[in-house]
């Protein structure tokens, strides 16, 4: 039986706790959250107990931690868990500051613990199938990747202000998708961007619409377009052109109903937001984590992946701020 | 805490047991199956124990039973559970013989227990959404229903021999869909059929392809086409033409990948068979059962629905055997 | 240069005249229509002249006639053209009365002229491609055909009264599709029907919604569903299940625009009605006619096809009126 | 009757001649082509005569010319036709050299003749419907445009060598689509590119895969991705994200057949190349040209549009060659 502690009892914490509970041989022991009521409710739902950080790290029976707390706590928690020899499942990003994230990665490596970074898109059935089919050679050599990534609506400006900016907050997932799907690293990054959704976002020093181009070391091309607001919901697609064809990974919809009325032939909007769209992905991700701990699978989204995506986010931020093409190391 | 016993530890029994385990306040206590190994494995997976029938019905703490055993055991188990005042979740059909099924229904009514018959299609997200949208008036008055229902492959002839024939074994679900979607009862039934898939099925006295037409009491029309074999997988669709438009309920696919290669633009085949296609439906169905027991929902697929579908299956069998249109009572 | 006369300067006459004009080596010489203004306008548009029937049949230079006039004129015109040794392109049906249609067919055969009956659906790019792929063995042996055939709205009751009834007026095309796609003849026909769209149609002695089942001599099954009214437009589809898969022939839409807004993901309605949907089919059909006259192709929709479809329409009418399954000769 | 001369009797010349022939009140009088046999065949097909340039420009009865000859002849022919007061329908580009193109545009303006530049995509039913729906406000304010533009295969390197490079040869259409759809002008252009299809293209000094980003004066964003080779055929799509939703303009396919076999559910590849995909567009474009000459419509693709697209192509070429973001005047 692996005993687990979870940090964060919010939306995503609940999802992870629910998935945890379904793993055979795994038990949620501790829930930590500054919001005592939230912590209590989540603990009760899974027969766990509320604790504070120190208690968790002092408990030698804890084999793994799930970090689903606010971004500014990630680095500390990773380092403490690593020091305690606990396996780590941590939501992205490692940290908003690249230096700090690097120190974290070093700590993880020194400790020799597993540390999964929550790039859940890699575990999405559609995205994962596309990747597997590329690997199987179905479209020959990949040449060009187009990623579309749009949220149904912008978060509160208060959130945006502490988010690290759109490139670190939102595109970090797309940068990971880029690296994963093309199996290649960036040579140059160019980011254009605009504030078209809400002027308050510009006042907060951020943008809400971006158009990023990456050229890989092998000369492959990637374009990413994102927006904080798609009126029709959460839009998460990519397409890969290869020498032998194209694979498109599309949105999931709640049902397969098609309505033909006097105006149009219409289908469902895509699943509303990440909790719905990536429900299956979150479940697979957690199953993978424990399969890794059991020695049955090899860790697929490592702390290094977290670093690489963060480096791209930083390069994109620079490109946009300075109006230039940024060359990667 | 509701204590539950399950009869049947096969494919569908495992599905139901898993769904049971996720209901709050519900505990699987007993597993009954003539195959002791299967019973033991399922019991162990859910912290339950193996028992025989008599032990289950003698245990006054059992509040509900799930009947997922072979068809010939359904009627007995329903009657015994009803006599014991236990709520019943039973896979279709109630029984292959209409008389026996009617006696069962009477027993359930006399006992005043809840008895859900497993017409899981009503709980499928796509089918249920289509129904809700019809009810909401989106396509005006329903006029015509076309049901397509095809299995990926024929079962062993040994199974077919004891199945009660294609109309009772396979179309019983389609007859229930017909009643549910059109909200109307049959006036006449005409069934044509053929043995096109496997001559051994004809030798066993059955057919493998059918074309059924039902006219409702209100003059609405329904066509059902079925086959024991669709080379592309499990094909479960219907479409309803109404005075104001059409709703089509389509197949679900495992992923939303689209491949464009030198030959074609292609998508995934539909989910392979009922366990995959109706996975969400089985989960909803079980949640509904316990919501009914908790007094929160009204039972949606009753023993009467089981009887009505069986009556249609019997009428269709007669129509096909005697080559005539059958008038319903 | 082949000189051609056209009978009928209405909607479909104009389509045929336009397609005629595009055939190399073909010239429209005469236009005949009781409505002199219509005849004059069509003649002028194509550099032709207005004439009456007798003048056309007396003109030995006329090599072919296109019959696009009202149904009650077809048989006479076919017989006179046959007697004059002219090739014939005639809209369906040959005649509403089977006897008369048979005499026409005899006259055509005796005269040894080509007589194309306007089952234009066989020339539709989608339908023709489906047929070709079936022939090529893509789905193995065809087993079941489902035909959906719905008009955007009912014609005036005045029209319906003289139409010969829905089976001869509307389903005659579907009966031809059945014979063509399954490559087989009917053994039994069962037609159910209802008046759901407009009670005035029932008062005129007709129905507006039908559900027909045909069993072929080889045991294959066909279901046809039709309605005089689909709120979303002209719905012309079929699907064929074969031992190795399924081919579906779908509707054509004016554009490939997909809109994602706050309500739905929506596409264009199908092409509005037969003039739009079968525009390409009418052009191919006319090209085929002259290719037949030039000895380059073999006639694909013969007067015998017209007879066979009419026999099925008559059988369906009988089945519906007498409430019984009709056995074909 | 408007008398017309056509320059160029190749693939696209034949298309334009055929469309010309269908315009009422228009007659093809002269065909000019260095390949005498091609000129003769095209002339004969339309009852026209072969001539040389001088004869055409000396013929005062000629009201309009169609320029479908090689790119290096466009500027001369435009200037001579303008000087002769003839209306001009010219394939893109005006000229590969911006200076020369500007002089052409001046000549056209001085002469006061109509000059349609063949950006046929604006006349495509799908693209035009998308544009009209944006104008109608269906998706609110446009914010982001993603253009996908891929050829089925690279042309001979010999052609590429004289093509002016991929940005002038291929993307010029996409630059026009950008201006038309967003209704805005470029502020900055960034082009990345690669040679992934055929190293011979790199040896010829060109690239075959591009990723272009344009920011408009109003801060809108556009990404264009192109390739000289899509194994699945001609891929011509765009999607526009607006404040109220998204419109996607997709590919056209030859038929609406869907095949479900043991491997996949598949549809037709897109129309193979521009002659097929833009068949309807070419017809509409020609009809528009003569509607402009008749004073019924306002010219939609002017010589200025030709200049603006060329300026973008030049900026993109510079951006790519110099590895920098180019600011437009």
């Amino acid at each position: 039986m692996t005993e687990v502690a979870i940090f964060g009892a919010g939306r995503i914490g609940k999802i992870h706790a629910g998935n945890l509970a379904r793993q055979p041989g795994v038990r949620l022991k501790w829930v930590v959250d500054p919001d005592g009521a939230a912590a209590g409710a989540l603990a009760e739902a899974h027969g766990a107990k509320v604790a504070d950080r120190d208690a968790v790290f002092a408990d030698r029976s804890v084999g793994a931690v799930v970090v689903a707390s606010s971004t500014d706590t990630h680095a500390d928690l990773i380092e403490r868990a690593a020091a305690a020899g606990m396996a780590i499942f941590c939501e992205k990003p490692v940290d908003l500051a690249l230096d700090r994230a690097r120190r974290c990665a070093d700590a993880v490596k020194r400790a020799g613990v597993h540390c999964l970074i929550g790039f859940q898109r890699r575990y999405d059935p559609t995205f994962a199938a596309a990747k597997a089919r590329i690997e199987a050679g179905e479209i020959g050599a990949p040449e060009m990747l187009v990623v579309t990534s749009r949220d149904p609506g912008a978060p509160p400006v208060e959130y945006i202000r502490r988010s690290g900016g759109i490139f670190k907050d939102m595109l970090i997932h797309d940068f990971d998708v880029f690296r994963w799907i093309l199996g290649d690293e960036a040579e140059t990054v160019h980011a254009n961007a605009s504030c078209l959704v809400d002027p308050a976002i510009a006042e907060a020093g951020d943008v809400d619409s971006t158009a990023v181009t990456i050229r890989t070391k092998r000369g492959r091309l990637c374009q990413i377009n994102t927006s904080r607001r798609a009126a029709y919901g959460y839009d998460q697609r990519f397409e890969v052109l290869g020498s032998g064809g194209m694979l498109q990974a599309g949105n999931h919809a709640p049902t397969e109903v098609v309505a033909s009325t006097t105006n149009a032939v219409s289908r469902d909007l895509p699943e509303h937001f990440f909790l719905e769209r990536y429900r299956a992905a979150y479940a697979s991700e957690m199953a993978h984590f424990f399969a890794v701990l059991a020695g049955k699978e090899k860790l697929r989204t490592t702390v290094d992946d977290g670093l690489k995506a963060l480096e791209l986010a930083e390069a994109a931020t620079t490109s946009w701020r300075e109006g230039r093409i940024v060359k990667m190391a």
Side-chain angles (χ1 to χ4, degrees), chain A:
Chain A
M1 184 66 60
T2 307
E3 309 272 10
V4 183
I6 190 164
F7 295 92
R11 284 189 308 186
I12 191 68
K14 281 184 209 159
I15 298 281
H16 289 321
N19 288 328
L20 252 172
R22 268 176 220 127
Q23 308 307 317
V26 173
R27 195 172 73 92
L28 182 60
K29 186 170 185 185
W30 303 115
V31 177
V32 187
D33 197 296
D35 177 345
L42 186 59
E44 194 184 345
H46 294 286
K49 296 220 166 103
V50 172
D52 65 12
R53 291 182 183 201
D54 292 341
V56 167
F57 292 116
D59 179 354
R60 294 288 106 187
S61 76
V62 171
V65 298
V66 173
V67 180
S69 46
S70 63
T71 294
D72 56 3
T73 64
H74 290 188
D76 277 354
L77 292 171
I78 289 174
E79 287 170 349
R80 292 193 65 179
M86 296 169 180
I88 304 154
F89 177 118
C90 183
E91 275 302 310
K92 64 88 205 165
V94 176
D95 194 84
L96 292 176
L98 197 45
D99 277 3
R100 184 68 202 277
R102 283 184 182 137
R103 289 203 306 274
C104 262
D106 288 344
V108 165
K109 279 168 210 166
R110 272 196 313 273
V113 296
H114 288 296
C115 178
L116 178 150
I117 299 299
F119 289 126
Q120 86 284 352
R121 295 187 195 177
R122 296 203 192 191
Y123 305 92
D124 175 71
T126 290
F127 285 11
K131 170 65 175 173
R133 292 167 70 170
I134 293 166
E135 299 272 293
E138 187 169 330
I139 56 164
E143 295 170 354
M144 199 173 309
L145 170 66
V146 178
V147 179
T148 299
S149 181
R150 300 168 186 160
D151 283 357
V157 171
E158 197 43 49
Y159 171 91
I160 283 179
R161 214 165 259 134
R162 290 164 308 146
S163 70
I166 195 169
F167 297 105
K168 287 186 184 170
D169 183 53
M170 194 173 157
L171 280 91
I172 196 162
H173 281 294
D174 305 302
F175 292 130
D176 183 63
V177 165
F178 148 74
R179 292 183 59 247
W180 173 53
I181 291 297
L182 287 187
D184 202 352
E185 299 294 344
E187 185 176 270
T188 60
V189 176
H190 169 244
N192 211 322
S194 214
C195 186
L196 299 166
V197 172
D198 183 356
I201 293 173
E203 283 162 29
D206 204 357
V207 287
D208 49 42
S209 307
T210 81
V212 173
T213 304
I214 303 172
R215 182 194 177 85
T216 73
K217 297 202 184 299
R218 296 156 82 176
R220 294 165 177 181
L221 301 171
C222 168
Q223 286 188 313
I224 302 169
N225 73 79
T226 71
S227 172
R228 284 285 192 188
R229 183 223 14 231
Y232 52 91
Y234 194 46
D235 193 354
Q236 299 278 298
R237 290 171 285 146
F238 65 75
E239 66 178 58
V240 195
L241 176 69
S243 54
M246 171 172 62
L247 284 169
Q248 293 172 296
N251 288 315
H252 292 194
T255 81
E256 294 298 326
V257 176
V258 179
S260 298
T261 55
T262 47
N263 298 316
V265 177
S266 60
R267 307 181 68 93
D268 284 5
L269 292 180
E271 293 281 8
H272 181 63
F273 206 2
F274 65 99
L275 295 177
E276 293 85 10
R277 162 61 194 268
Y278 291 118
R279 196 172 49 84
Y282 289 123
S284 285
E285 186 184 40
M286 190 58 77
H288 169 66
F289 180 63
F290 286 102
V292 169
L293 299 200
K296 290 177 194 159
E297 296 182 15
K298 198 171 164 305
L299 188 60
R300 288 160 61 191
T301 46
T302 66
V303 72
D304 272 342
D305 292 318
L307 278 187
K308 294 279 191 189
L310 193 63
E311 285 167 6
L312 287 167
E314 196 127 300
T317 308
T318 302
S319 172
W320 159 238
R321 291 234 174 98
E322 304 182 4
R324 63 180 178 90
I325 300 159
V326 172
K327 202 161 166 14
M328 301 300 289

PDB file of all heavy atoms in Angstrom, chain A residues 172-189:
ATOM      1  N   ILE A 172       2.774  27.225 -21.884  1.00  0.00           N
ATOM      2  CA  ILE A 172       3.746  26.237 -21.425  1.00  0.00           C
ATOM      3  C   ILE A 172       3.303  24.823 -21.835  1.00  0.00           C
ATOM      4  O   ILE A 172       4.127  23.979 -22.217  1.00  0.00           O
ATOM      5  CB  ILE A 172       3.981  26.362 -19.905  1.00  0.00           C
ATOM      6  CG1 ILE A 172       5.259  25.610 -19.529  1.00  0.00           C
ATOM      7  CG2 ILE A 172       2.766  25.914 -19.097  1.00  0.00           C
ATOM      8  CD1 ILE A 172       5.817  26.019 -18.181  1.00  0.00           C
ATOM      9  N   HIS A 173       1.995  24.587 -21.803  1.00  0.00           N
ATOM     10  CA  HIS A 173       1.457  23.308 -22.277  1.00  0.00           C
ATOM     11  C   HIS A 173       1.724  23.118 -23.774  1.00  0.00           C
ATOM     12  O   HIS A 173       2.034  22.022 -24.226  1.00  0.00           O
ATOM     13  CB  HIS A 173      -0.053  23.244 -22.045  1.00  0.00           C
ATOM     14  CG  HIS A 173      -0.444  22.917 -20.642  1.00  0.00           C
ATOM     15  ND1 HIS A 173      -0.182  21.709 -20.063  1.00  0.00           N
ATOM     16  CD2 HIS A 173      -1.091  23.652 -19.703  1.00  0.00           C
ATOM     17  CE1 HIS A 173      -0.653  21.694 -18.824  1.00  0.00           C
ATOM     18  NE2 HIS A 173      -1.201  22.866 -18.572  1.00  0.00           N
ATOM     19  N   ASP A 174       1.545  24.186 -24.532  1.00  0.00           N
ATOM     20  CA  ASP A 174       1.731  24.078 -25.986  1.00  0.00           C
ATOM     21  C   ASP A 174       3.193  23.860 -26.328  1.00  0.00           C
ATOM     22  O   ASP A 174       3.519  23.145 -27.277  1.00  0.00           O
ATOM     23  CB  ASP A 174       1.181  25.334 -26.658  1.00  0.00           C
ATOM     24  CG  ASP A 174      -0.268  25.572 -26.263  1.00  0.00           C
ATOM     25  OD1 ASP A 174      -1.081  24.669 -26.519  1.00  0.00           O
ATOM     26  OD2 ASP A 174      -0.577  26.616 -25.656  1.00  0.00           O
ATOM     27  N   PHE A 175       4.082  24.477 -25.542  1.00  0.00           N
ATOM     28  CA  PHE A 175       5.512  24.255 -25.772  1.00  0.00           C
ATOM     29  C   PHE A 175       5.858  22.797 -25.486  1.00  0.00           C
ATOM     30  O   PHE A 175       6.672  22.192 -26.190  1.00  0.00           O
ATOM     31  CB  PHE A 175       6.346  25.207 -24.910  1.00  0.00           C
ATOM     32  CG  PHE A 175       6.210  26.659 -25.324  1.00  0.00           C
ATOM     33  CD1 PHE A 175       5.919  27.661 -24.395  1.00  0.00           C
ATOM     34  CD2 PHE A 175       6.358  27.020 -26.654  1.00  0.00           C
ATOM     35  CE1 PHE A 175       5.793  28.989 -24.779  1.00  0.00           C
ATOM     36  CE2 PHE A 175       6.231  28.355 -27.057  1.00  0.00           C
ATOM     37  CZ  PHE A 175       5.946  29.331 -26.116  1.00  0.00           C
ATOM     38  N   ASP A 176       5.236  22.233 -24.472  1.00  0.00           N
ATOM     39  CA  ASP A 176       5.491  20.820 -24.205  1.00  0.00           C
ATOM     40  C   ASP A 176       4.936  19.942 -25.331  1.00  0.00           C
ATOM     41  O   ASP A 176       5.596  18.990 -25.761  1.00  0.00           O
ATOM     42  CB  ASP A 176       4.880  20.400 -22.866  1.00  0.00           C
ATOM     43  CG  ASP A 176       5.219  18.936 -22.578  1.00  0.00           C
ATOM     44  OD1 ASP A 176       6.417  18.632 -22.438  1.00  0.00           O
ATOM     45  OD2 ASP A 176       4.291  18.103 -22.533  1.00  0.00           O
ATOM     46  N   VAL A 177       3.756  20.277 -25.807  1.00  0.00           N
ATOM     47  CA  VAL A 177       3.186  19.522 -26.939  1.00  0.00           C
ATOM     48  C   VAL A 177       4.125  19.594 -28.135  1.00  0.00           C
ATOM     49  O   VAL A 177       4.395  18.587 -28.803  1.00  0.00           O
ATOM     50  CB  VAL A 177       1.775  20.058 -27.299  1.00  0.00           C
ATOM     51  CG1 VAL A 177       1.328  19.554 -28.674  1.00  0.00           C
ATOM     52  CG2 VAL A 177       0.761  19.642 -26.225  1.00  0.00           C
ATOM     53  N   PHE A 178       4.646  20.793 -28.398  1.00  0.00           N
ATOM     54  CA  PHE A 178       5.574  20.961 -29.514  1.00  0.00           C
ATOM     55  C   PHE A 178       6.775  20.003 -29.392  1.00  0.00           C
ATOM     56  O   PHE A 178       7.121  19.290 -30.327  1.00  0.00           O
ATOM     57  CB  PHE A 178       6.049  22.425 -29.580  1.00  0.00           C
ATOM     58  CG  PHE A 178       7.437  22.589 -30.094  1.00  0.00           C
ATOM     59  CD1 PHE A 178       7.715  22.412 -31.452  1.00  0.00           C
ATOM     60  CD2 PHE A 178       8.503  22.885 -29.236  1.00  0.00           C
ATOM     61  CE1 PHE A 178       9.012  22.533 -31.934  1.00  0.00           C
ATOM     62  CE2 PHE A 178       9.798  23.000 -29.709  1.00  0.00           C
ATOM     63  CZ  PHE A 178      10.052  22.821 -31.062  1.00  0.00           C
ATOM     64  N   ARG A 179       7.407  20.007 -28.224  1.00  0.00           N
ATOM     65  CA  ARG A 179       8.600  19.172 -28.046  1.00  0.00           C
ATOM     66  C   ARG A 179       8.265  17.687 -28.187  1.00  0.00           C
ATOM     67  O   ARG A 179       9.002  16.909 -28.792  1.00  0.00           O
ATOM     68  CB  ARG A 179       9.236  19.412 -26.674  1.00  0.00           C
ATOM     69  CG  ARG A 179       9.850  20.805 -26.520  1.00  0.00           C
ATOM     70  CD  ARG A 179      10.519  20.940 -25.155  1.00  0.00           C
ATOM     71  NE  ARG A 179      11.559  19.951 -24.979  1.00  0.00           N
ATOM     72  CZ  ARG A 179      11.523  18.937 -24.097  1.00  0.00           C
ATOM     73  NH1 ARG A 179      10.472  18.798 -23.285  1.00  0.00           N
ATOM     74  NH2 ARG A 179      12.497  18.072 -24.030  1.00  0.00           N
ATOM     75  N   TRP A 180       7.135  17.337 -27.617  1.00  0.00           N
ATOM     76  CA  TRP A 180       6.720  15.932 -27.597  1.00  0.00           C
ATOM     77  C   TRP A 180       6.353  15.444 -28.997  1.00  0.00           C
ATOM     78  O   TRP A 180       6.804  14.389 -29.435  1.00  0.00           O
ATOM     79  CB  TRP A 180       5.519  15.828 -26.646  1.00  0.00           C
ATOM     80  CG  TRP A 180       4.811  14.523 -26.567  1.00  0.00           C
ATOM     81  CD1 TRP A 180       5.349  13.293 -26.329  1.00  0.00           C
ATOM     82  CD2 TRP A 180       3.397  14.335 -26.694  1.00  0.00           C
ATOM     83  NE1 TRP A 180       4.347  12.350 -26.288  1.00  0.00           N
ATOM     84  CE2 TRP A 180       3.153  12.957 -26.507  1.00  0.00           C
ATOM     85  CE3 TRP A 180       2.325  15.193 -26.926  1.00  0.00           C
ATOM     86  CZ2 TRP A 180       1.855  12.423 -26.577  1.00  0.00           C
ATOM     87  CZ3 TRP A 180       1.045  14.662 -26.973  1.00  0.00           C
ATOM     88  CH2 TRP A 180       0.822  13.299 -26.802  1.00  0.00           C
ATOM     89  N   ILE A 181       5.539  16.228 -29.682  1.00  0.00           N
ATOM     90  CA  ILE A 181       5.020  15.770 -30.981  1.00  0.00           C
ATOM     91  C   ILE A 181       6.114  15.775 -32.048  1.00  0.00           C
ATOM     92  O   ILE A 181       6.236  14.819 -32.813  1.00  0.00           O
ATOM     93  CB  ILE A 181       3.811  16.628 -31.414  1.00  0.00           C
ATOM     94  CG1 ILE A 181       2.612  16.347 -30.506  1.00  0.00           C
ATOM     95  CG2 ILE A 181       3.452  16.377 -32.879  1.00  0.00           C
ATOM     96  CD1 ILE A 181       2.105  14.910 -30.573  1.00  0.00           C
ATOM     97  N   LEU A 182       6.911  16.831 -32.103  1.00  0.00           N
ATOM     98  CA  LEU A 182       7.950  16.851 -33.136  1.00  0.00           C
ATOM     99  C   LEU A 182       9.199  16.085 -32.706  1.00  0.00           C
ATOM    100  O   LEU A 182      10.045  15.765 -33.545  1.00  0.00           O
ATOM    101  CB  LEU A 182       8.297  18.287 -33.529  1.00  0.00           C
ATOM    102  CG  LEU A 182       7.223  19.008 -34.370  1.00  0.00           C
ATOM    103  CD1 LEU A 182       7.746  20.354 -34.859  1.00  0.00           C
ATOM    104  CD2 LEU A 182       6.801  18.169 -35.591  1.00  0.00           C
ATOM    105  N   GLY A 183       9.313  15.776 -31.430  1.00  0.00           N
ATOM    106  CA  GLY A 183      10.493  15.017 -30.976  1.00  0.00           C
ATOM    107  C   GLY A 183      11.777  15.739 -31.314  1.00  0.00           C
ATOM    108  O   GLY A 183      12.762  15.133 -31.748  1.00  0.00           O
ATOM    109  N   ASP A 184      11.761  17.034 -31.114  1.00  0.00           N
ATOM    110  CA  ASP A 184      12.870  17.863 -31.563  1.00  0.00           C
ATOM    111  C   ASP A 184      12.938  19.080 -30.630  1.00  0.00           C
ATOM    112  O   ASP A 184      11.998  19.346 -29.890  1.00  0.00           O
ATOM    113  CB  ASP A 184      12.565  18.313 -33.004  1.00  0.00           C
ATOM    114  CG  ASP A 184      13.803  18.717 -33.784  1.00  0.00           C
ATOM    115  OD1 ASP A 184      14.895  18.798 -33.188  1.00  0.00           O
ATOM    116  OD2 ASP A 184      13.665  18.969 -34.991  1.00  0.00           O
ATOM    117  N   GLU A 185      14.071  19.785 -30.648  1.00  0.00           N
ATOM    118  CA  GLU A 185      14.200  20.973 -29.794  1.00  0.00           C
ATOM    119  C   GLU A 185      14.215  22.242 -30.630  1.00  0.00           C
ATOM    120  O   GLU A 185      14.543  22.225 -31.819  1.00  0.00           O
ATOM    121  CB  GLU A 185      15.487  20.890 -28.949  1.00  0.00           C
ATOM    122  CG  GLU A 185      15.535  19.687 -28.016  1.00  0.00           C
ATOM    123  CD  GLU A 185      14.470  19.717 -26.900  1.00  0.00           C
ATOM    124  OE1 GLU A 185      13.884  20.796 -26.648  1.00  0.00           O
ATOM    125  OE2 GLU A 185      14.225  18.651 -26.292  1.00  0.00           O
ATOM    126  N   ALA A 186      13.868  23.353 -29.992  1.00  0.00           N
ATOM    127  CA  ALA A 186      13.778  24.634 -30.691  1.00  0.00           C
ATOM    128  C   ALA A 186      15.149  25.214 -31.004  1.00  0.00           C
ATOM    129  O   ALA A 186      16.062  25.147 -30.173  1.00  0.00           O
ATOM    130  CB  ALA A 186      13.002  25.634 -29.845  1.00  0.00           C
ATOM    131  N   GLU A 187      15.271  25.781 -32.195  1.00  0.00           N
ATOM    132  CA  GLU A 187      16.475  26.536 -32.532  1.00  0.00           C
ATOM    133  C   GLU A 187      16.188  28.026 -32.386  1.00  0.00           C
ATOM    134  O   GLU A 187      16.976  28.762 -31.817  1.00  0.00           O
ATOM    135  CB  GLU A 187      16.893  26.211 -33.969  1.00  0.00           C
ATOM    136  CG  GLU A 187      18.194  26.861 -34.351  1.00  0.00           C
ATOM    137  CD  GLU A 187      18.626  26.444 -35.756  1.00  0.00           C
ATOM    138  OE1 GLU A 187      19.331  25.433 -35.870  1.00  0.00           O
ATOM    139  OE2 GLU A 187      18.204  27.114 -36.718  1.00  0.00           O
ATOM    140  N   THR A 188      15.042  28.449 -32.926  1.00  0.00           N
ATOM    141  CA  THR A 188      14.631  29.847 -32.756  1.00  0.00           C
ATOM    142  C   THR A 188      13.164  29.904 -32.350  1.00  0.00           C
ATOM    143  O   THR A 188      12.381  29.017 -32.685  1.00  0.00           O
ATOM    144  CB  THR A 188      14.767  30.658 -34.065  1.00  0.00           C
ATOM    145  OG1 THR A 188      13.943  30.054 -35.067  1.00  0.00           O
ATOM    146  CG2 THR A 188      16.198  30.720 -34.551  1.00  0.00           C
ATOM    147  N   VAL A 189      12.837  30.980 -31.655  1.00  0.00           N
ATOM    148  CA  VAL A 189      11.454  31.232 -31.240  1.00  0.00           C
ATOM    149  C   VAL A 189      11.086  32.651 -31.610  1.00  0.00           C
ATOM    150  O   VAL A 189      11.854  33.588 -31.344  1.00  0.00           O
ATOM    151  CB  VAL A 189      11.307  31.061 -29.709  1.00  0.00           C
ATOM    152  CG1 VAL A 189       9.894  31.429 -29.257  1.00  0.00           C
ATOM    153  CG2 VAL A 189      11.642  29.641 -29.289  1.00  0.00           C
TER     154      VAL A 189
END
